[in-house]
Structures are given as structure tokens and as C-alpha cells.
Amino acid sequence: MYKNILNSIVLTVIFSSTVFAGEIDVIPSDWKLENYTDNGAIKVFNVADDTNNICTSFHLDSATTESKNRFWSTVLAAKAANSKMFVRYVESDSASCEISSFGQKSTS
């Protein structure tokens, strides 16, 4: 019983602090990626059609260097293989959405 109550509290805190905007499954062939060396931010352009115009771009600012490297690798692998990847994102204060999760889609 206590475990269920604790899980409910944790989920409430997580979801109240993050506004989930959506998830897309996409072949990122048209995406334009930019890396900003002054602050390490990554911006992804040409995503408006993929998100039904909710986001004009994605950004990955607060992630660790390792996560940013994995993101680059995932996008480049999906582009090279012409395969789908998923991106979960949250709306931010502008038309650019923050990436909250990403990964390669299963081919099976």
C-alpha cells in the first residue's frame, strides 16, 4: 500500500514539473543539425512538419555530453540507414521544443 502511494506521489511530481508535448517516429533525412561550441547546445531544424507545427525546432541544451553524443550518433545512424528513430519532446517558452528522450526504433 505504501509503495503505491509513494509511486503516485513520485509520478505526480514528475508530471507536474514537465509538460509533455508529444512523441514522433521519424526518418530524420531532412533534419539540419547544428552544434554551438560556446555553450554545447544542439539545435535541430526542419521539424515543423514532423510535429504538426508545434515545434519549429528541437534543442538539447541541458543534456550531458554523453547524451548529446548519443543523440548525434542516433540521428546519423537513422539517416544513413534510412530508418526511423523516436523523439519525445516538451514545449518550451518558444517554438523550439526541448528533447526529453530519443532512440532508435526497432526494425522488427
Side-chain angles (χ1 to χ4, degrees):
M1 178 172 154
Y2 292 113
K3 186 176 180 180
N4 289 337
I5 293 171
L6 181 61
N7 285 340
S8 296
I9 292 169
V10 169
L11 289 175
T12 301
V13 169
I14 290 171
F15 287 113
S16 65
S17 64
T18 303
V19 178
F20 180 73
E23 176 176 334
I24 59 170
D25 295 338
V26 63
I27 298 173
S29 56
D30 293 338
W31 286 7
K32 176 186 172 196
L33 281 76
E34 290 187 11
N35 190 62
Y36 297 94
T37 56
D38 58 338
N39 62 5
I42 294 175
K43 289 279 270 191
V44 183
F45 297 96
N46 300 336
V47 301
D49 289 342
D50 299 326
T51 63
N52 294 319
N53 293 315
I54 293 171
C55 310
T56 57
S57 64
F58 289 137
H59 61 274
L60 195 61
D61 300 336
S62 58
T64 64
T65 300
E66 292 80 12
S67 290
K68 291 175 184 177
N69 289 342
R70 280 192 296 276
F71 180 74
W72 275 95
S73 297
T74 303
V75 171
L76 294 177
K79 281 181 174 241
N82 202 35
S83 64
K84 286 188 176 181
M85 64 178 290
F86 72 88
V87 175
R88 293 183 187 110
Y89 57 91
V90 294
E91 292 182 70
S92 60
D93 56 359
S94 65
S96 181
C97 296
E98 175 79 24
I99 295 172
S100 60
S101 179
F102 62 88
Q104 194 77 25
K105 292 294 287 186
S106 174
T107 57
S108 57

